[in-house]
Amino acid sequence: MIRAIRACKTAAEERAVVRKECAAIRASINEDDQDYRHRNLAKLMFIQILGYPTHFGQMECLKDLNHSNQYIVGLALCALGNICSAEMARDLAPEVERLLQFRDPNIRKKAALCSIRIIKKVPDLAENFINCAASLLKEKHHGVLITGVQLCADLCKVSSEALEYFRKKCTEGLVRTLRDIVNSPYSPEYDISGITDPYLHIRLLKLLRILGQGDADASDRMTDMLAQVATKTESNKNAGNAILYECVETIMSIEDDGGLRVLAINILGKFLSNRDNNIRYVALNMLMRATTLDAQAVQRHRATILDCVKDSDASIRKRALELLYLLVNENNVKPLIKELIEYLEVSDQEFKGDLTAKICSLVEKFSSEKIWYIDQMLKVLSEAGNFVKDEVWHALIVVISNASDLHGYTVRALYRAFLTSTEQETLVRVAVWCIGEYGDMLVNNVGMLDIEDPITVTECDAVDAVEVAIKRHTSDLTTKAMALIALLKLSSRFPSYSERIKGIIVQNKGNLVLELQQRSIEFNRILQKHQKIRSALVERMPVLDEATFSGRRAGSLPTAISTSSGAPSNLPNGIAKPATAPIPDLLDLSSDDVPPPSSSGGDFPQDLLGVDLSPTPAPSGAGKPPKASTDVLLDLLSIGTSLPVQTGSSASDILSSSQDDKAPFANFNGLASLSSLSANATSPVNAAPMMDLLDGHGPGPQKPEENGQAYPSLVAYESSSLRVMFNFSKQPGSPQTTLIQATFTNLSSNVYNDFLFQAAVPKVKSVIYVFYFQKSLVMRVRIAYKTNNKDVLEERQINNFPQNL
């Protein structure tokens, strides 16, 4: 048959041969031909291998369950376990139960294995095999016993009734069987490396683990035996290590008072000294689980675990580092960090990333002193700064800004590290930032500590360091941008080197990177024409709030802002504005789309600009609103710093109410900000002309309209109960400023309480001062009020503003 099939040249010929052979086999089966029966089954096996259906021969195989030859019965049981369906298993389960009590141990073993397959396919049949499986646990034949133990374990997994039965009836017997095997004399039939049947050892321990888990009584009955196995088993052979590992896992899983767990953890500690990497790896995995049960016992092996961190095997290193990370606490953090940093110097490049992340996380988590935190982070930056993530060095800068008594010490330490490790990118960034902020302290040796060595740094040296950072070919955009800002700040700190600094900045005026080109042009303009405001513009950054920064890292900043009437809350410098819930809705404009603020609250490099956004106290007296906060970019470019706040009510108000002009209006918060306006308040603001910081390179504004030009009024919003009118005008001598007067009219007979008016514009426009743009102004407004104890919320987008406002 095989020759005929292989001789076929087409698939059709092969199918014809197979059909012919299958027909002959069916005829032979019907005739009960015993002489060629084995040949027919062999043919069916080959045909099945080829992929053709042979189900008609399955029942022929299963008829052999009643055969007189034990080997044929064994083959039938193997076939049933492999090919039976759920229906076939239900029909033949009684036959398998009968064979579990067969006189021949080989048949009982095969029947037990077949029973395991049956209960996996049909868990409902588990109850039928409980008594038969329990009887197999008394077997003396190891082959039958090991299959009986496995059958009991599988029954416990699928049936809670079986689990309770074996706990009450079989735990003592299993412990006795395990004791007999452990204390049995040498038996060549079952001996492996001097240990009697380690496979049966392991199966018994696994079943005891299932029975003892969650049951104190069953656990108590097996603890003495487990201690005996743990102490008597030799660990110099692989078979003994396998038994010890299963014994440890059983001890960790059952209910125990802790004494036995210490013994198990000590065994795992010995495993860590084994030369076999596999044994050490499984020991590290098990110790990670053990830390949740008895961390103190695992701490005793901390030195061995630390040695594993330095192992040549990458898997061992990584797993040992994860385990060591779990063991660090306030008492041992300093010696462990010292060891890890020392190893960081010689570790492989592919391991530095994981090791650096763990060290930084531990230092930040367990640091009790700022000076220790700064010292350890500087060591990490010096050895593996290229592997430090952005949020880590951001957090370091926040800590440095808060440690006012360590500013001098920190900038000197960073300067020393910078001179020897200029290839570490994040170290260069932090060093450049600190030199820009505290360069005068570096030169004047302010705040010297007893632990420091004296150092002499001139103003020229400080400028040289920043110049090296900006001219390094490996420096990225962020580093060079921070270096430019540092140079701008040093121009105020070191007036005698202002011209040299200006020369360095001008070198980037034609940089191909637009960001650096723009910064160079703007900073050069500041140095040339704005000497009076330079000192205030680049003054030292105020303290960054650690709690706010930590919350922003965790994404826990509040996502809503207060919309109550009154002054807007100004934010201190270095703290980005939190994301606000209303903004995404109000800025849902079809043109000039700007991504909504992220939950992080802002871009951290903006915080490094050193721009003062500290809140200004509101002046006393009625009708005097507080100074409106300005955008970070506008502060940097000196735009908006000269916007005087006027008091009183006049026709030139930007926004005013027709109902009441006694209370102050809440100001707009700058570009693309959300303003909360009370309907019974006003606030006039005059805008200063925009400064030309691009030195003539930027596009010029459109020619303003004549001062006396009138603009038509605009119905911004109208409903059956409310109308909002916008009136536009321009002040003489200030054609770039458009004044908008908002008039709110109640068209109903009801009284409106808690009236709230909100407006938002795209980021390219400003509500306080509107420059000349190609596109017309677009505004989205939201009005909220309460009438008859009912809250009302209405929105609208305004597109039909007059041209050339």
Side-chain angles (χ1 to χ4, degrees):
M1 183 194 71
I2 294 174
R3 280 197 299 270
I5 290 176
R6 289 179 175 173
C8 295
K9 296 182 179 180
T10 64
E13 292 181 17
E14 181 181 288
R15 288 194 295 269
V17 173
V18 171
R19 279 197 299 270
K20 181 179 178 182
E21 289 292 340
C22 287
I25 292 172
R26 286 193 188 93
S28 179
I29 290 175
N30 292 333
E31 295 173 1
D32 199 16
D33 187 352
Q34 297 295 325
D35 294 335
Y36 290 96
R37 190 170 182 277
H38 63 287
R39 295 183 115 186
N40 290 336
L41 293 179
K43 287 182 178 181
L44 286 174
M45 289 180 63
F46 186 79
I47 292 172
Q48 186 181 29
I49 291 173
L50 292 177
Y52 294 97
T54 58
H55 54 275
F56 63 89
Q58 290 179 2
M59 289 308 299
E60 180 66 16
C61 300
L62 299 179
K63 288 177 183 181
D64 288 335
L65 290 175
N66 296 317
H67 202 278
S68 59
N69 189 320
Q70 61 174 348
Y71 299 107
I72 295 178
V73 175
L75 286 172
L77 287 168
C78 289
L80 176 61
N82 286 315
I83 67 174
C84 73
S85 61
E87 293 76 12
M88 191 183 299
R90 292 181 186 276
D91 294 338
L92 296 176
E95 290 293 323
V96 178
E97 290 181 51
R98 178 180 61 83
L99 292 175
L100 282 171
Q101 302 172 6
F102 199 75
R103 63 181 183 279
D104 185 74
N106 184 59
I107 297 299
R108 295 200 299 273
K109 182 179 69 174
K110 297 282 187 180
L113 293 173
C114 184
S115 301
I116 294 172
R117 297 291 184 89
I118 289 175
I119 62 174
K120 286 183 177 180
K121 291 183 179 180
V122 190
D124 296 344
L125 297 176
E127 298 177 0
N128 300 342
F129 294 94
I130 293 177
N131 293 327
C132 299
S135 64
L136 295 179
L137 298 179
K138 302 175 183 178
E139 287 280 351
K140 299 298 182 183
H141 189 279
H142 284 204
V144 180
L145 181 57
I146 197 171
T147 53
V149 171
Q150 184 61 40
L151 175 59
C152 292
D154 287 313
L155 285 170
C156 292
K157 293 177 182 178
V158 300
S159 172
S160 58
E161 181 182 344
L163 177 61
E164 291 300 323
Y165 179 86
F166 292 133
R167 275 176 177 168
K168 295 179 180 179
K169 304 290 184 179
C170 303
T171 302
E172 292 287 353
L174 288 169
V175 171
R176 187 166 48 252
T177 301
L178 181 59
R179 181 180 293 108
D180 293 342
I181 296 174
V182 170
N183 299 323
S184 64
Y186 172 76
S187 175
E189 183 179 2
Y190 302 114
D191 184 82
I192 298 177
S193 301
I195 298 176
T196 302
D197 203 344
Y199 299 103
L200 183 56
H201 267 91
I202 291 171
R203 291 294 179 187
L204 286 168
L205 288 170
K206 286 184 175 180
L207 180 55
L208 288 174
R209 178 162 70 245
I210 294 173
L211 299 180
Q213 192 169 12
D215 189 282
D217 293 337
S219 299
D220 186 62
R221 291 196 290 268
M222 63 182 73
T223 51
D224 291 340
M225 190 62 241
L226 292 175
Q228 186 177 348
V229 173
T231 53
K232 293 189 64 174
T233 305
E234 297 182 3
S235 60
N236 55 351
K237 299 292 183 180
N238 201 44
N241 288 328
I243 294 174
L244 287 174
Y245 177 79
E246 288 298 334
C247 182
V248 168
E249 191 163 6
T250 300
I251 292 172
M252 294 295 181
S253 300
I254 66 173
E255 305 300 317
D256 182 64
D257 57 359
L260 202 57
R261 287 201 188 104
V262 175
L263 175 61
I265 292 172
N266 290 338
I267 293 173
L268 295 176
K270 292 180 181 178
F271 280 179
L272 294 179
S273 303
N274 199 294
R275 291 177 297 177
D276 191 324
N277 286 345
N278 293 326
I279 293 177
R280 285 190 292 166
Y281 187 81
V282 297
L284 290 169
N285 277 337
M286 185 63 69
L287 284 171
M288 290 184 70
R289 291 173 48 191
T291 54
T292 60
L293 301 173
D294 194 342
Q296 191 60 38
V298 181
Q299 287 279 3
R300 299 190 186 100
H301 305 281
R302 193 173 62 238
T304 309
I305 297 170
L306 186 60
D307 291 338
C308 291
V309 174
K310 307 173 184 178
D311 194 82
S312 58
D313 186 272
S315 300
I316 298 293
R317 288 200 306 262
K318 187 172 183 179
R319 190 61 71 193
L321 182 61
E322 293 173 354
L323 175 57
L324 194 66
Y325 182 81
L326 297 176
L327 296 179
V328 176
N329 54 40
E330 294 83 356
N331 300 323
N332 59 29
V333 61
K334 291 188 176 180
L336 282 178
I337 291 297
K338 180 182 178 182
E339 292 278 353
L340 291 176
I341 292 178
E342 289 176 356
Y343 175 63
L344 183 62
E345 301 175 9
V346 296
S347 61
D348 298 335
Q349 290 296 316
E350 62 271 12
F351 189 55
K352 282 184 183 291
D354 290 337
L355 186 56
T356 300
K358 295 295 185 184
I359 293 174
C360 294
S361 177
L362 291 172
V363 170
E364 185 175 357
K365 183 178 180 180
F366 293 104
S367 61
S368 56
E369 304 170 346
K370 282 187 168 63
I371 188 171
W372 182 81
Y373 172 85
I374 293 172
D375 286 340
Q376 306 313 309
M377 292 305 300
L378 291 188
K379 292 177 183 178
V380 174
L381 292 179
S382 301
E383 298 298 334
N386 292 333
F387 298 92
V388 174
K389 296 180 180 179
D390 287 348
E391 58 266 22
V392 175
W393 66 268
H394 293 174
L396 174 59
I397 286 180
V398 173
V399 173
I400 292 173
S401 73
N402 279 268
S404 58
D405 55 332
L406 298 175
H407 286 168
Y409 169 79
T410 303
V411 70
R412 286 187 290 273
L414 280 165
Y415 179 78
R416 292 189 186 96
F418 175 80
L419 296 179
T420 58
S421 304
T422 55
E423 72 281 357
Q424 304 296 341
E425 194 71 23
T426 55
L427 173 66
V428 174
R429 292 177 185 175
V430 178
V432 164
W433 184 88
C434 281
I435 292 174
E437 291 294 322
Y438 316 119
D440 51 339
M441 292 185 170
L442 173 64
V443 173
N444 298 323
N445 282 328
V446 175
M448 285 288 294
L449 302 182
D450 295 337
I451 60 175
E452 287 187 83
D453 295 328
I455 182 174
T456 302
V457 182
T458 64
E459 295 180 355
C460 181
D461 295 334
V463 176
D464 286 342
V466 182
E467 185 179 13
V468 168
I470 201 171
K471 291 184 176 181
R472 285 170 63 242
H473 69 280
T474 56
S475 293
D476 60 9
L477 172 61
T478 301
T479 304
K480 292 182 178 180
M482 293 177 67
L484 282 174
I485 297 174
L487 286 172
L488 180 63
K489 293 198 170 192
L490 289 180
S491 69
S492 177
R493 312 278 195 273
F494 308 147
S496 60
Y497 282 86
S498 180
E499 287 301 319
R500 181 190 170 190
I501 290 172
K502 178 182 174 183
I504 300 172
I505 292 176
V506 169
Q507 292 175 10
N508 290 275
K509 198 171 183 179
N511 199 300
L512 296 178
V513 180
L514 183 60
E515 174 72 17
L516 299 179
Q517 181 189 114
Q518 180 178 346
R519 285 175 186 254
S520 177
I521 294 172
E522 292 169 352
F523 294 172
N524 181 53
R525 192 67 170 173
I526 291 173
L527 292 173
Q528 280 185 337
K529 297 187 177 181
H530 303 289
Q531 297 291 335
K532 294 182 179 179
I533 68 169
R534 184 179 61 180
S535 297
L537 183 64
V538 298
E539 65 182 6
R540 190 166 296 157
M541 286 186 67
V543 174
L544 303 173
D545 186 62
E546 289 186 81
T548 304
F549 178 76
S550 301
R552 184 171 60 193
R553 287 182 66 187
S556 60
L557 279 181
T559 56
I561 61 172
S562 173
T563 57
S564 60
S565 61
S569 60
N570 291 358
L571 297 176
N573 187 42
I575 305 302
K577 298 175 184 178
T580 59
I583 283 181
D585 294 335
L586 290 179
L587 295 185
D588 185 16
L589 304 174
S590 58
S591 62
D592 298 316
D593 288 333
V594 179
S598 63
S599 61
S600 64
D603 188 24
F604 188 82
Q606 261 191 348
D607 296 346
L608 306 182
L609 298 178
V611 182
D612 185 14
L613 286 181
S614 57
T616 303
S620 60
K624 293 185 178 181
K627 177 183 177 182
S629 62
T630 54
D631 187 86
V632 174
L633 180 60
L634 295 184
D635 275 352
L636 176 63
L637 302 182
S638 299
I639 301 175
T641 57
S642 58
L643 296 178
V645 178
Q646 300 179 356
T647 60
S649 175
S650 68
S652 60
D653 290 351
I654 290 180
L655 289 172
S656 63
S657 171
S658 63
Q659 298 177 6
D660 192 354
D661 59 357
K662 295 180 181 179
F665 235 35
N667 294 338
F668 282 90
N669 276 341
L671 297 185
S673 63
L674 176 66
S675 301
S676 302
L677 309 178
S678 175
N680 55 357
T682 63
S683 173
V685 180
N686 290 338
M690 176 178 171
M691 296 181 183
D692 179 18
L693 294 182
L694 296 182
D695 202 14
H697 294 277
Q702 296 179 4
K703 184 178 180 180
E705 299 292 332
E706 295 297 326
N707 291 346
Q709 177 177 346
Y711 297 96
S713 299
L714 171 67
V715 179
Y717 176 84
E718 185 171 16
S719 67
S720 60
S721 57
L722 178 67
R723 181 191 300 126
V724 180
M725 293 289 295
F726 282 180
N727 297 316
F728 309 97
S729 62
K730 289 184 177 292
Q731 271 190 328
S734 183
Q736 71 271 24
T737 304
T738 299
L739 306 178
I740 306 174
Q741 182 184 35
T743 304
F744 303 84
T745 305
N746 185 350
L747 302 178
S748 70
S749 58
N750 299 322
V751 176
Y752 294 167
N753 300 318
D754 300 330
F755 192 88
L756 182 67
F757 177 76
Q758 297 174 314
V761 295
K763 203 164 190 176
V764 74
K765 301 176 179 68
S766 169
V767 178
I768 295 182
Y769 36 87
V770 181
F771 304 122
Y772 296 94
F773 293 95
Q774 298 292 338
K775 298 181 179 180
S776 60
L777 179 64
V778 179
M779 180 182 293
R780 180 176 289 274
V781 299
R782 173 183 291 171
I783 302 171
Y785 55 90
K786 182 180 291 186
T787 176
N788 295 332
N789 294 325
K790 181 180 178 182
D791 293 327
V792 180
L793 178 64
E794 300 173 335
E795 290 187 15
R796 183 183 173 184
Q797 180 170 313
I798 307 172
N799 300 310
N800 53 340
F801 278 90
Q803 295 294 324
N804 298 326
L805 275 178

